[in-house]
């Protein structure tokens, strides 16, 4: 029987997002919908148990404990629920060797997909072949990326070489020579899927050299624009116009450092996370993406660069959209690879071909700032610099120290998280939900920290002058370099 980590690559399971616990601890025997949490104690061992209704926070640890005691392989929470800030749930999941996941997809389709993947029958093989036919064209002419997509869809390593004993292989002739792919052989229907997907991947990898397939070319050209000498910009921009890269618009660059990820996972980000993230933003009330905006992606220096291009000045709404995209993309990656501690940087909007390079440099520079949040925006207005100069004066430092003293007396380990929470809360106009999203906490944790701060300081956060004073104080203190002056 497969383990959960082997199933996550199967078609139809891309809506599942890991939240806590190991993905490879228990073999999966099937899936079961549970209308009530108290039924979790009786699920068969190896079951992926899917709750039909959202779970109150105070009962979630009980649900995890019951499912683990029954030997379930996983507990799936509906509606995209979050438990990132719940330490008890994480501890219970690790101790009980059970994965906790969330999904915002169709539960009936999820049941069908898990049953199909566990069975490994002809339906599963056809689903994997169909997914390959949809996804592989985006890697035309790119053997490394084609191999990475095939490996992800098959759930087994695919390498660029001739097949050896006990392996399946496929090859195709391309303009740069023969492309060969190999993977471990498997019997029955899984073997059929491997042979078919390898053949599709080899043909795709070899076929992109004829005519420069647009999707592939735009990504490669964008990467070339960012690393080529500046005197080559005009030539590359002219080529970009011929293949549909909107080099003449207003650009905002998002850079996600991904060196800690395997190459296959970086390609997976390009192929799946970006399209799904854009869909999320279109459905988000305060993240509308206008029809005229184009998004392109490239891998540059082991980092993922996403470039949003507006036909005119994007203004504040466009900058909010870019930040929302960065936060959601980084959030997805951090859940999939918590050990990598991934971060993102966002540049300011700039115009034309040189604007692409400028915004990309700003996005990279934003990542050099202190890591107070998973995503950092470029300080286009120079606010941080102005605050540091202000904070350098004895008078300003004394005022900040006096204002924040009730919190800082707790010591750095306890004070800094409170101050970061207060800054995010004030930056988002006293919204605990948006502060929680930025800090990857539950909104109840944000509320508890804010109450702790107001209890300590006696501050009235409904008063505009008090809010401004605290916002400037937090920003200056958290931005200031540590250590002696």
């Amino acid at each position: 029987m497969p383990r959960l980590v082997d199933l996550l690559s199967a078609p139809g399971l891309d809506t599942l997002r890991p939240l806590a616990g190991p993905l490879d601890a228990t073999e999966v025997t099937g899936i079961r919908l549970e209308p009530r949490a108290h039924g979790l104690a009786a699920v068969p061992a190896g079951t992926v148990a899917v709750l039909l209704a959202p779970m109150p926070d105070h009962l979630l640890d009980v649900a995890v404990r019951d499912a683990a005691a029954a030997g379930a392989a996983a507990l799936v929470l509906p509606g995209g629920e979050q438990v990132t800030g719940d330490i008890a749930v994480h501890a219970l999941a690790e101790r009980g060797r059970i994965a906790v996941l969330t999904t915002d997809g169709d539960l009936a389709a999820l049941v069908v997909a898990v049953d199909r993947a566990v069975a490994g029958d002809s339906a599963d093989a056809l689903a994997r072949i169909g997914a390959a036919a949809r996804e592989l064209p985006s890697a035309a002419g790119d053997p490394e990326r084609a191999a990475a997509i095939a490996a992800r869809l098959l759930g087994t390593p695919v390498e660029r070489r001739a097949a050896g004993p006990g392996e399946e292989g496929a090859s195709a002739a391309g303009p740069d020579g023969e492309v060969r792919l190999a993977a471990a052989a498997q019997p029955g229907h899984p073997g059929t899927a491997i042979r078919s997907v390898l053949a599709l991947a080899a043909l795709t990898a070899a076929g992109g050299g004829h005519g420069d397939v647009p999707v592939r070319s735009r990504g490669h050209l964008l990467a070339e624009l960012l690393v080529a000498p500046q005197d080559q910009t005009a030539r590359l921009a002219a080529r970009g116009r011929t293949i549909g890269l909107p080099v003449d618009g207003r650009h905002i660059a998002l850079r996600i450092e991904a060196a800690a990820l395997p190459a296959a996972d970086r390609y997976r980000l390009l192929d799946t996370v970006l399209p799904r993230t854009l869909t999320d933003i279109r459905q988000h009330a305060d993240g509308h993406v206008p029809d005229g905006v184009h998004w392109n992606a490239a891998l540059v220096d082991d980092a993922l660069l996403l470039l949003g291009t507006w036909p005119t000045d994007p203004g504040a709404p466009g900058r909010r959209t870019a930040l929302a995209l960065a936060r959601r993309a980084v959030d997805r990656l951090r859940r999939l690879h918590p050990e990598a501690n991934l971060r993102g940087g966002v540049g300011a909007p700039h115009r034309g071909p040189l604007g692409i390079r400028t915004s990309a440099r700003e996005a990279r520079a934003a990542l050099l700032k202190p890591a107070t949040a998973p995503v950092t925006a470029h300080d286009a207005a120079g606010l941080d610099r102005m605050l540091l100069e202000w904070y350098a004066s004895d008078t300003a430092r004394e005022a900040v120290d006096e204002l924040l003293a009730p919190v800082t007396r707790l010591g750095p380990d306890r004070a800094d998280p409170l101050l970061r929470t207060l800054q995010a809360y004030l930056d988002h106009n006293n919204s605990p939900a948006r502060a929680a999203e930025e800090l990857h906490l539950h909104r109840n944790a944000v509320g508890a920290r804010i109450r702790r701060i107001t209890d300590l300081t006696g501050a009235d956060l409904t008063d505009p002058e008090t809010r401004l004073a605290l916002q400037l104080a937090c920003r200056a203190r958290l931005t200031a370099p540590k250590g002696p002056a």
Side-chain angles (χ1 to χ4, degrees), residues 117-466:
V118 170
D121 55 14
S122 58
D124 179 58
L126 284 173
R128 293 178 189 270
I129 295 168
R134 290 190 300 273
E135 293 192 32
L136 280 169
S138 68
D142 190 337
E144 294 294 342
R145 190 174 175 191
I149 292 174
R152 172 170 55 80
L153 294 176
L154 292 171
T156 191
V158 173
E159 299 181 6
R160 283 191 63 196
R161 56 175 176 77
E167 293 182 324
E168 299 287 358
S171 63
D176 300 322
E178 189 174 39
V179 176
R180 298 177 178 179
L181 300 177
Q186 293 187 30
H189 297 298
T192 300
I194 289 174
R195 288 189 292 273
S196 300
V197 172
L198 283 182
L200 286 171
L203 286 170
T204 299
H210 303 289
D212 251 354
V213 174
V215 172
R216 174 219 178 190
S217 297
R218 286 196 293 268
H220 283 193
L221 182 61
L222 176 56
E224 195 173 351
L225 259 172
L226 292 168
V227 300
Q230 189 166 321
D231 59 8
Q232 298 294 315
T233 301
R235 177 184 63 82
L236 294 171
R239 183 179 162 205
R241 295 182 188 100
T242 67
I243 61 172
L245 184 66
V247 295
D248 298 309
R250 304 271 186 154
H251 313 287
I252 297 179
L254 321 175
R255 182 184 174 97
I256 300 173
E257 295 291 354
L261 296 179
D265 289 316
R266 294 198 289 270
Y267 285 123
R268 179 184 181 190
L269 176 60
L270 281 173
D271 298 327
T272 61
V273 173
L274 174 60
R276 202 187 318 159
T277 300
L278 285 172
T279 300
D280 286 351
I281 291 177
R282 288 190 180 98
Q283 296 171 348
H284 201 265
D286 59 357
H288 178 62
V289 180
D291 292 336
V293 177
H294 298 276
W295 293 92
N296 289 280
L299 284 172
V300 183
D301 301 328
D302 292 330
L304 175 74
L305 189 101
L306 311 179
L307 188 74
T309 303
W310 280 253
T312 58
D313 186 355
R319 291 192 288 273
R320 284 196 297 269
T321 296
L323 278 170
L325 172 64
R327 286 168 180 151
R328 287 172 181 266
V330 171
D331 183 57
R332 286 183 186 277
L333 281 178
R334 287 167 73 97
R335 290 177 187 167
L336 290 170
H337 301 279
E339 75 288 351
N341 194 29
L342 299 172
R343 294 183 59 221
V346 182
H350 293 277
R351 180 180 172 181
L354 290 177
I356 296 174
R357 299 165 70 104
T358 302
S359 190
R361 283 197 301 269
E362 291 175 348
R364 186 170 191 168
L367 288 165
L368 300 178
K369 297 171 66 174
T372 58
V375 175
T376 307
H378 171 66
D379 181 22
L383 177 61
D384 288 341
R385 186 171 63 254
M386 288 188 289
L387 281 173
L388 285 175
E389 292 176 2
W390 168 72
Y391 190 54
S393 74
D394 292 339
T395 303
R397 190 180 294 272
E398 288 173 6
V400 169
D401 289 348
E402 181 179 346
L403 187 61
L404 300 180
V407 178
T408 57
R409 276 197 290 265
L410 298 174
D413 291 343
R414 297 171 64 190
D416 283 359
L418 291 176
L419 294 178
R420 290 193 189 97
T421 303
L422 178 60
Q423 180 181 323
Y425 179 77
L426 295 173
D427 285 350
H428 290 294
N429 295 319
N430 291 20
S431 169
R434 295 184 66 185
E437 183 179 355
E438 176 178 321
L439 298 170
H440 295 269
L441 295 171
H442 193 282
R443 61 180 298 169
N444 290 348
V446 171
R449 289 185 181 183
I450 295 301
R451 287 192 296 273
R452 172 70 168 150
I453 291 166
T454 55
D455 288 344
L456 287 169
T457 63
D460 178 8
L461 298 185
T462 64
D463 176 61
E465 292 187 0
T466 301

Side-chain angles (χ1 to χ4, degrees), residues 43-122:
V43 299
T47 296
V48 174
V50 183
L51 287 173
L52 290 178
M55 173 67 57
D57 291 345
H58 67 283
L59 295 179
L60 187 55
D61 55 343
V62 177
V64 173
R65 187 183 296 111
D66 287 349
L75 175 64
V76 178
L77 309 176
E81 286 193 40
Q82 307 292 314
V83 298
T84 52
D86 196 323
I87 297 175
V89 169
H90 282 270
L92 285 169
E94 291 292 338
R95 188 163 58 247
R97 309 294 290 161
I98 182 172
V100 180
L101 306 98
T102 184
T103 180
D104 51 11
D106 180 78
L107 297 184
L110 178 64
V111 171
V112 172
V114 171
D115 274 337
R116 185 175 61 212
V118 170
D121 55 14
S122 58

